[in-house]
Amino acid sequence: AEKVLGYDLLSLCLKGPQDELDRTQHCQPAVFVASLAAVEKLNHQQPKVVESCVAAAGYSVGEFAALVFAGALSFAEALYAVKVRAEAMQKASEAVPSGMLSVIGRREANYKFACLEACKHCESLGIENPVCAVSNYLFPDSRVIAGHLQALKFLQENARKYNFIRTKMLPVSGAFHTRLMEPAVEPLAEVLKSIEIQKPLMCVYSNVDGKKYMHSKHIQKLLVKQVVSPVMWEQTMHSLYERKQGTEFPYTYEVGPGKQLGAVLKKCNLKAWRQYDHVDALEDEETTDT
């Protein structure tokens, strides 16, 4: 990774500084590499798990790791694409004061209407072409809304009106997965054109529509689209675990930093979550040998 990136990623992950690691341009490659390191660890500890894997999915930048795991992309080329993506998204996020707001809503919450009103508020402040849209579908009644900071502030101040139970700003610098990321589309599209993409060896599900990737051109097209499209993670969970009644759920492994996807799975599908495990590249061997 260090050769591709031109800096010592391992040292940054282990020693920080934290604010440098949190920067989009470093954070994305770090998540990508740490996820695949966790796959290596799982393969070392339980090779049968990796051999018998039937499907993979990755959240946002994790989709690149899922495609490497499935044999569609080579590690070095995918990492280079992630580097270009991360730097372009960092640049796009610095161009406009924007961010992301995590929202838990009541059943009757109308996210589209709330976003529309937040955009009107921005227009009243003189902001041209304001952006405020759902950027991540996490689990029933949970969304991430992204856009101009003024729009997100408006939603926080009017949370009760829109039936939002809880709102929380996320520690990110931009409105990822919205049209504010359009400047990042071209650089990523260019690099993906120069990379060899194979048909995945197993089913890999796309963030853009929650469906399986069909062929290499499909992967190339949707990975670009993903930058400006909402992450359909809740829909992906439904596609992934759809099965006839009475059929057993597969074992699920979350590989990489954090257990957020496991928490989301629990809310989306409790039965599938009961066969869930988490593998972190850094945990001590003893603690994971269960």
Side-chain angles (χ1 to χ4, degrees):
E2 190 177 340
K3 276 183 190 158
V4 175
L5 297 169
Y7 58 86
D8 188 346
L9 184 68
L10 184 62
S11 171
L12 187 60
C13 285
L14 295 175
K15 298 175 189 154
Q18 184 72 45
D19 58 342
E20 274 302 301
L21 185 58
D22 286 344
R23 281 171 69 79
T24 302
Q25 69 187 74
H26 298 138
C27 183
Q28 289 188 29
V31 168
F32 169 82
V33 174
S35 299
L36 289 168
V39 169
E40 288 299 325
K41 180 175 168 179
L42 179 62
N43 193 28
H44 175 70
Q45 289 178 340
Q46 302 179 64
K48 280 204 165 56
V49 167
V50 174
E51 284 161 26
S52 61
C53 184
V54 289
Y59 187 92
S60 192
V61 73
E63 200 159 285
F64 286 83
L67 287 162
V68 170
F69 172 66
L73 301 170
S74 77
F75 172 77
E77 288 189 322
L79 178 58
Y80 182 68
V82 167
K83 175 184 189 284
V84 169
R85 177 187 189 265
E87 286 168 0
M89 286 171 78
Q90 175 84 42
K91 203 172 165 189
S93 63
E94 283 166 4
V96 178
S98 56
M100 302 179 86
L101 182 72
S102 172
V103 176
I104 305 273
R106 296 187 200 283
R107 281 282 153 85
E108 58 273 24
N110 185 335
Y111 301 94
K112 269 191 178 157
F113 176 66
C115 289
L116 197 66
E117 293 220 321
C119 282
K120 281 182 183 164
H121 169 72
C122 284
E123 281 169 356
S124 76
L125 298 174
I127 296 168
E128 284 180 30
N129 294 325
V131 172
C132 183
V134 173
S135 61
N136 307 72
Y137 292 83
L138 297 176
F139 53 86
D141 309 321
S142 175
R143 308 273 186 278
V144 176
I145 294 174
H148 282 84
L149 283 180
Q150 295 90 332
L152 304 181
K153 191 175 175 224
F154 173 83
L155 290 179
Q156 280 192 296
E157 286 167 358
N158 294 279
R160 284 182 67 179
K161 178 185 172 184
Y162 301 118
N163 290 302
F164 296 166
I165 299 166
R166 204 172 81 227
T167 61
K168 186 186 171 203
M169 286 298 290
L170 297 178
V172 294
S173 56
F176 305 138
H177 304 289
T178 70
R179 63 180 167 84
L180 285 175
M181 289 295 118
E182 267 167 13
V185 165
E186 198 52 42
L188 180 60
E190 281 305 306
V191 76
L192 287 172
K193 273 181 203 162
S194 67
I195 285 176
E196 196 180 342
I197 303 174
Q198 309 282 350
K199 190 173 190 289
L201 301 170
M202 67 186 76
C203 297
V204 179
Y205 289 78
S206 164
N207 285 184
V208 173
D209 56 11
K211 294 174 182 165
K212 295 171 196 171
Y213 278 118
M214 305 311 286
H215 47 76
S216 56
K217 277 270 175 272
H218 193 212
I219 293 170
Q220 186 185 336
K221 186 181 156 191
L222 290 191
L223 280 179
V224 174
K225 201 176 171 187
Q226 193 230 55
V227 173
V228 288
S229 304
V231 173
M232 301 289 206
W233 194 253
E234 184 185 339
Q235 295 83 339
T236 302
M237 292 297 94
H238 293 321
S239 301
L240 204 50
Y241 296 103
E242 194 179 13
R243 52 213 350 96
K244 287 195 182 90
Q245 209 144 11
T247 315
E248 276 214 25
F249 282 99
Y251 285 93
T252 299
Y253 292 84
E254 179 175 3
V255 281
K259 299 180 183 178
Q260 293 92 329
L261 299 182
V264 170
L265 176 60
K266 189 177 182 180
K267 294 271 204 295
C268 284
N269 191 323
L270 188 60
K271 281 184 179 169
W273 175 78
R274 289 197 177 114
Q275 311 227 59
Y276 158 89
D277 205 353
H278 172 251
V279 182
D280 192 313
L282 281 181
E283 279 177 357
D284 293 321
E285 300 294 317
E286 295 82 79
T287 58
T288 53
D289 277 342
T290 48

